[in-house]
Amino acid sequence: MENWNLTSDFILLGLLNHTGPHLFLFVMVLTTAFSSLVGNALMLLLILLDPQLHRPMYFLLSQLSLMDMMLVSTIVPKIAADYLTGRNSISPAGCGLQIFFFLTLGGGECFLLAAMSYDRYVAICHPLRYPVLMSWQICLRMIWGSWFLGAADALMQAAATLTFSYCSSHEINHFFCEAPSLVRLACADTSLFESVMYICCVLMLLVPISLILISYSLILTTVLQMRSNEARKKAFATCSSHLSVVGLFFGAAIFTYMRPKSYRSANHDKIVSAIYTIFTPVLNPLIYSLRNSEVKGALRKCMGQCVALNSD
């Protein structure tokens, strides 16, 4: 097949068309994205303004909110612009940047969720040693490590993906530039890159999810030894809600990046990718933050201060 010049644009086939049901889905996507931005921005604001929330646990939560806000901002504006204007093109540079930011944020969030599970393990299983095992220095190292590992993987995949020779068909059957979808268009042999990408996925997905499961298993073991039924129920409810979001995020990512090439379907990839790029970010502030009594107390105090200022 004829190769095409990398100065040419890619064409994103998108997630939605202009039928009635898809228009409803488009409104749902925008509503979900807006709710995610508002919820995560509110979390960042509360953690910044309330001194009682200036602790490692909430600093980790603030980074999760920041990553989710940036992830939604990386994907949804392009979806909205393409849907409203009908111009679905994206330059190779824009495609590379989208891959880089998406993988930096997605990969960083994997390690950040593992760090958050460790924080909860220390707080519940070793509360007296918490200031030592989860000091500010350790917390900052976890956060910088999450950002660095995500960015390193993203830079490698974005650079490698755009060095391939692409065939005359430059239509990406997706709603954003994602490495597996772009690899399908390559004329060159991509087996080495796919093997390296699979190894990266093991490190970026399976290692963090294993650490998360170990942490919560140890937490549940400690919870089962509690004498208070109320404390056990509260801990079980918290752990189950956390694990449901973690399972949704990691399950969707593993489904997309670790399936054999012969089992991949573009339509399935688009639906699953929408879960962890659009819908999971709106759940995180609800599950991890707004259900927290200290966060709700900070929200009430902030609203009370706003009412007092307005009355003056």
Side-chain angles (χ1 to χ4, degrees):
M1 295 181 70
E2 179 186 357
N3 289 359
W4 65 286
N5 195 326
L6 261 181
T7 58
S8 304
D9 288 347
F10 292 104
I11 302 297
L12 294 169
L13 297 185
L15 180 66
L16 305 169
N17 54 44
H18 288 81
T19 62
H22 281 230
L23 177 60
F24 174 74
L25 289 175
F26 174 69
V27 173
M28 279 188 61
V29 167
L30 290 187
T31 303
T32 303
F34 179 75
S35 301
S36 175
L37 291 173
V38 171
N40 286 295
L42 180 60
M43 273 306 308
L44 280 171
L45 183 64
L46 290 175
I47 292 171
L48 177 66
L49 295 179
D50 196 324
Q52 293 184 353
L53 301 183
H54 293 175
R55 304 204 302 271
M57 170 187 172
Y58 294 107
F59 193 45
L60 291 170
L61 282 171
S62 72
Q63 294 300 300
L64 181 65
S65 293
L66 178 61
M67 287 182 177
D68 282 340
M69 288 177 65
M70 293 177 65
L71 181 61
V72 171
S73 300
T74 299
I75 304 299
V76 176
K78 177 63 176 170
I79 296 175
D82 289 349
Y83 187 84
L84 294 174
T85 64
R87 299 178 61 184
N88 297 352
S89 62
I90 184 170
S91 68
C95 199
L97 284 174
Q98 202 171 50
I99 291 174
F100 174 76
F101 283 114
F102 166 72
L103 289 176
T104 296
L105 298 165
E109 188 163 326
C110 291
F111 288 103
L112 187 65
L113 289 170
M116 291 170 64
S117 70
Y118 171 76
D119 172 80
R120 291 298 84 207
Y121 158 72
V122 174
I124 294 174
C125 300
H126 302 283
L128 298 180
R129 300 180 62 194
Y130 185 87
V132 176
L133 297 177
M134 198 60 198
S135 64
W136 275 109
Q137 187 178 22
I138 294 175
C139 178
L140 290 174
R141 286 178 180 176
M142 287 180 171
I143 289 170
W144 282 115
S146 298
W147 282 100
F148 174 78
L149 291 171
D153 176 62
L155 184 61
M156 183 275 294
Q157 289 203 40
T161 302
L162 293 181
T163 59
F164 293 132
S165 297
Y166 291 96
C167 300
S168 56
S169 174
H170 54 280
E171 294 181 340
I172 303 175
N173 193 4
H174 213 310
F175 58 91
F176 71 100
C177 286
E178 195 170 24
S181 299
L182 212 58
V183 167
R184 293 194 189 100
L185 304 180
C187 294
D189 181 14
T190 61
S191 57
L192 177 60
F193 171 74
E194 291 185 69
S195 298
V196 173
M197 187 169 66
Y198 189 85
I199 294 172
C200 289
C201 288
V202 170
L203 297 175
M204 303 292 288
L205 294 172
L206 297 187
V207 172
I209 190 63
S210 298
L211 295 174
I212 291 170
L213 292 176
I214 291 171
S215 295
Y216 278 107
S217 297
L218 294 172
I219 289 172
L220 290 175
T221 301
T222 301
V223 169
L224 288 173
Q225 297 173 357
M226 294 179 178
R227 295 183 178 181
S228 171
N229 288 330
E230 185 177 348
R232 281 203 300 268
K233 288 180 181 179
K234 183 177 180 181
F236 275 127
T238 301
C239 289
S240 61
S241 59
H242 288 192
L243 285 173
S244 62
V245 176
V246 167
L248 192 64
F249 179 82
F250 279 93
I254 290 171
F255 181 85
T256 299
Y257 282 90
M258 300 194 69
R259 273 182 306 157
K261 190 174 182 179
S262 57
Y263 289 94
R264 290 177 185 168
S265 164
N267 290 331
H268 290 163
D269 284 350
K270 286 192 285 188
I271 295 171
V272 174
S273 296
I275 293 174
Y276 61 81
T277 58
I278 300 171
F279 295 103
T280 302
V282 79
L283 297 177
N284 285 335
L286 296 174
I287 297 297
Y288 285 99
S289 307
L290 298 182
R291 291 184 59 184
N292 184 291
S293 59
E294 291 180 316
V295 173
K296 288 190 288 188
L299 179 60
R300 284 193 294 268
K301 184 164 64 175
C302 182
M303 292 177 64
Q305 291 173 349
C306 291
V307 171
L309 288 174
N310 290 332
S311 62
D312 292 341

